[in-house]
Amino acid sequence: MILPGLAAAHGPTRQKASETVTIDAAPDKVWAVIQNFGDMSWHPRIAIADASKGNEKGSVRTLGFTSGGMMEEELSKYDAAKMSYSTFIGHVDTDLLPATNYSSTIAVKPANGGAKSEVTWRAAFYRGYPNNDPPAELNDEAAVNGVTAFITEGLENLKKKVESGS
C-alpha cells in the first residue's frame, strides 16, 4: 500500500545539464582561452573574474556578473594534460543561477583528427529552492533551464571568440 502524497515528501533530486560544442580550432588553441581559472572573459554573463590562487586546487574565483551580483566558485580539480577542470559553488545567488550546490566540469578534446575541438561542459546541481513546493522560478525545471542557458551561452561565445581569433 502506498500512502497518497508520501512519494512527493522527499527533498529535491540532483539535476544535470550537459552541453557540447565543436569549435573549428585545435584543442590547444581552445584550451589557451579557458585554461586560466581566473579569467572567464569568454563567458558573456561574466564581467570580471579573479582567482585567489590561480589554477591551484582550492583556488576561489570571484565572478562578477554583467547583470550585477557576485558569486564565488572554487576550483576542485585541475588537469592541464587532460585540458579539463572542475568547480564547485557552495552558495549560489539564485537571482543569477536558479540552482544550489552547483558543481561542473569543462573539458576540451580533439575532434576531426585534432583539427577541431569538442568542448563539453557538464554540471550537477539542485534546484534553487531546496524545500518542498518550490516557487516556479526555483523549481527543478527552472534550475535545469537556467543552468543549461548559462552553459550554452558560455560555449557559444567561446566558439565565436576562438573562431574569430579575438
Side-chain angles (χ1 to χ4, degrees):
M1 177 173 134
I2 297 175
L3 299 174
L6 192 60
H10 65 81
T13 55
R14 196 136 172 90
Q15 302 298 311
K16 293 183 177 172
S18 180
E19 296 295 322
T20 300
V21 67
T22 301
I23 299 176
D24 192 11
D28 58 342
K29 187 174 177 188
V30 177
W31 179 244
V33 175
I34 66 167
Q35 71 180 345
N36 180 0
F37 182 62
D39 178 5
M40 214 170 161
S41 60
W42 51 271
H43 199 295
R45 287 198 204 175
I46 306 301
I48 57 167
D50 182 44
S52 61
K53 299 178 191 165
N55 295 336
E56 183 182 316
K57 183 181 175 187
S59 180
V60 174
R61 73 177 165 196
T62 302
L63 300 173
F65 285 71
T66 54
S67 62
M70 308 280 275
M71 278 197 292
E72 289 186 338
E73 185 171 28
E74 183 176 337
L75 185 61
S76 49
K77 184 178 179 185
Y78 189 90
D79 191 334
K82 290 185 178 175
M83 290 189 264
S84 78
Y85 57 85
S86 300
T87 66
F88 177 74
I89 302 175
H91 177 72
V92 178
D93 180 339
T94 56
D95 289 337
L96 300 171
L97 206 58
T100 57
N101 207 12
Y102 171 95
S103 60
S104 74
T105 299
I106 190 165
V108 181
K109 296 201 180 315
N112 195 30
K116 295 185 180 193
S117 301
E118 193 176 89
V119 182
T120 301
W121 189 346
R122 295 183 327 267
F125 47 89
Y126 289 92
R127 67 182 179 226
Y129 186 82
N131 301 319
N132 289 330
D133 303 318
E137 70 276 9
L138 295 175
N139 66 16
D140 288 342
E141 183 182 3
V144 170
N145 291 341
V147 170
T148 299
F150 181 75
I151 289 172
T152 301
E153 288 168 31
L155 291 176
E156 286 174 354
N157 205 60
L158 175 64
K159 176 180 173 73
K160 189 171 130 188
K161 181 180 174 106
V162 171
E163 290 181 354
S164 72
S166 62

